[in-house]
Amino acid sequence: MYGYIYTRSLGYCSALSLNSSRKREAERMAKSPEEEHPHKAFGWAAKDSSGVLSPFHFSRRDNGVEDVTIKILYCGVCHSDLHAAKNEWGFSRYPLVPGHEIVGIVTKIGSNVKKFKVDNQVGVGVMVNSCKSCEYCDQDSENYCPKMIFTYNAHNYDGTKTYGGYSDTIVVDQHFVLHIPDSMPADGAAPLLCAGITVYSPMKYYGMTEPGKHLGIVGLGGLGHVAVKIGKAFGLKVTVISSSSRKEREALDRLGADSFVVSSDPEKMKAAFGTMDYIIDTVSAVHALAPLLSLLKTNGKLVTLGLPEKPLELPIFPLVLGRKLVGGSDIGGMKETQEMLDFCGKHNITSDVEVIRMDQINTAMERLAKSDVRYRFVIDVANSLSQSQL
């Protein structure tokens, strides 16, 4: 998700002089990915818009005074990885190593690093740097920094490319590294670094945390199933809204939702009319918003998290007559992401995952495109990534 914001990373040169930028870019282009930095790395990359991933040698930078070097254990497979690998948003730069749901073990720290120690279990999410000086960074909202740098498919401030977690190791500024609670399994924690914060942040920002209030969740996929768990932990009444009844029993019996509404059933929609205080819409396909707005009470809030390829039609009358709000949200800042992880650790919340080997990633991508996963693929990087796969 969040493909449209990848464009913000294109402005990384703005703080540099034009001449030095051109010189650095020329030097970078003269080196292969394997020679760009001093430390060898290995992963799987998409080489073109076919999206097919294959073994790939590249390199990582030296561990600086503010850096943490991480041996990657697991990496979640986000739907944005599929979009980026296939260049479906038009901003991909190849070769591209996806992965921004990373859990691993610290192997080295810089001299200024105080929050982490070697052997700590840590995580890295969607971003790996920001300017650290703008109003958004000052407000712990680094995710809205105009110079924020994504974990992959972006460029560092020195002009070198960022490569993601479908790889054996990564070096990250300590500010963008997160503690994973010791009680949390590494594979189930990985998707929380994207899916978890994506649903947690709007719930906090838009005030969707008052116990006893009624939350509707549209779509029961990678985002939706985590939203159910977090909503219940906040003490909300949770209703899953889906286009079919196929996942009803799973939503009610296993995930703990209170009710289930089939959006294609007029009688079910009529019965739910005006009953919800909040709705989180996780659907990324083009769909109608008017039926969802009808489910909200007066003063209700609808927050959209999916990124459809085409604009959605937004009817104004329901907003005006019901004093309803429609908003959006983009992951969360580092402070809030750590808060989310601690909250999930306290309430025993993890993502439901299907663990795969690295060499199964292309089949997993095909299945992901068909929504054939419950509910997140996670790559067992440490036990399946081998240079013998070349």
Side-chain angles (χ1 to χ4, degrees):
M1 62 202 67
Y2 318 116
Y4 73 101
I5 50 178
Y6 273 90
T7 54
R8 295 190 302 189
S9 63
L10 298 177
Y12 71 91
C13 287
S14 60
L16 306 173
S17 70
L18 183 60
N19 288 337
S20 64
S21 296
R22 286 175 174 171
K23 181 179 179 181
R24 182 172 289 122
E25 181 70 7
E27 292 173 348
R28 183 185 67 79
M29 293 299 292
K31 296 181 179 180
S32 70
E34 195 172 0
E35 298 171 329
E36 198 169 40
H37 295 294
H39 300 286
K40 304 303 181 185
F42 180 68
W44 278 49
K47 312 297 176 52
D48 54 47
S49 60
S50 70
V52 174
L53 286 94
S54 59
F56 175 63
H57 284 285
F58 63 108
S59 54
R60 298 289 191 186
R61 69 175 184 262
D62 272 328
N63 194 96
V65 296
E66 297 288 339
D67 286 338
V68 176
T69 297
I70 302 165
K71 176 186 176 181
I72 297 174
L73 300 180
Y74 292 94
C75 186
V77 180
C78 179
H79 211 289
S80 61
D81 298 347
L82 176 61
H83 288 305
K86 290 180 172 293
N87 196 26
E88 291 178 345
W89 287 322
F91 310 123
S92 298
R93 307 177 184 91
Y94 300 102
L96 184 150
V97 178
H100 58 208
E101 299 176 348
I102 302 166
V103 174
I105 298 294
V106 175
T107 60
K108 189 174 183 179
I109 59 173
S111 58
N112 290 347
V113 176
K114 308 302 180 185
K115 297 191 301 180
F116 302 99
K117 297 179 180 179
V118 171
D119 292 331
N120 282 170
Q121 180 172 263
V122 296
V124 177
V126 177
M127 53 187 166
V128 291
N129 215 334
S130 69
C131 76
K132 301 180 182 177
S133 61
C134 69
E135 61 176 308
Y136 303 106
C137 290
D138 289 343
Q139 296 167 5
D140 298 312
S141 295
E142 302 92 340
N143 49 312
Y144 296 112
C145 172
K147 297 180 181 178
M148 185 261 280
I149 296 176
F150 291 92
T151 304
Y152 70 88
N153 196 37
H155 284 88
N156 291 301
Y157 291 122
D158 65 0
T160 60
K161 286 185 67 173
T162 61
Y163 296 107
Y166 294 15
S167 58
D168 55 0
T169 185
I170 191 168
V171 183
V172 182
D173 183 301
Q174 64 169 329
H175 184 75
F176 296 88
V177 179
L178 297 146
H179 283 284
I180 302 295
D182 292 335
S183 61
M184 191 175 286
D187 54 356
L192 298 179
L193 297 164
C194 178
I197 187 58
T198 296
V199 297
Y200 182 89
S201 183
M203 292 175 75
K204 293 299 295 285
Y205 180 81
Y206 289 101
M208 300 178 171
T209 60
E210 186 178 343
K213 294 289 188 178
H214 190 178
L215 170 67
I217 297 170
V218 187
L220 193 64
L223 295 180
H225 90 285
V226 175
V228 171
K229 296 181 180 184
I230 292 177
K232 292 301 296 180
F234 278 128
L236 301 172
K237 176 184 177 182
V238 175
T239 294
V240 172
I241 305 164
S242 184
S243 58
S244 77
S245 60
R246 184 166 52 93
K247 298 180 181 179
E248 182 171 2
R249 297 282 23 116
E250 190 164 1
L252 300 175
D253 299 340
R254 196 168 69 80
L255 296 177
D258 297 287
S259 57
F260 192 97
V261 173
V262 179
S263 58
S264 57
D265 186 329
E267 291 301 316
K268 292 285 183 69
M269 291 293 286
K270 182 178 179 181
F273 181 88
T275 62
M276 300 177 190
D277 299 287
Y278 330 115
I279 293 176
I280 289 180
D281 183 359
T282 71
V283 175
S284 58
V286 175
H287 60 290
L289 295 180
L292 301 179
L293 291 170
S294 73
L295 303 180
L296 289 172
K297 299 176 182 178
T298 299
N299 301 319
K301 302 171 185 177
L302 168 65
V303 178
T304 62
L305 304 179
L307 290 172
E309 294 180 2
K310 297 180 180 179
L312 302 184
E313 183 175 324
L314 179 61
I316 300 302
F317 267 85
L319 305 185
V320 173
L321 299 181
R323 200 161 62 182
K324 299 173 183 179
L325 298 179
V326 176
S329 185
D330 167 31
I331 56 171
M334 298 311 300
K335 181 179 180 181
E336 188 173 51
T337 304
Q338 187 64 63
E339 176 187 304
M340 177 275 302
L341 288 169
D342 295 341
F343 178 89
C344 289
K346 178 180 178 181
H347 293 279
N348 297 314
I349 295 172
T350 57
S351 180
D352 291 8
V353 303
E354 181 177 338
V355 178
I356 62 170
R357 294 176 51 82
M358 188 71 252
D359 58 10
Q360 296 173 313
I361 185 59
N362 290 309
T363 299
M365 288 290 197
E366 292 174 2
R367 289 179 54 192
L368 180 60
K370 301 173 184 176
S371 299
D372 178 23
V373 56
R374 294 289 189 279
Y375 283 95
R376 206 71 151 191
F377 287 117
V378 172
I379 305 166
D380 183 353
V381 174
N383 291 315
S384 68
L385 181 63
S386 170
Q387 296 196 34
S388 65
Q389 294 167 339
L390 278 172

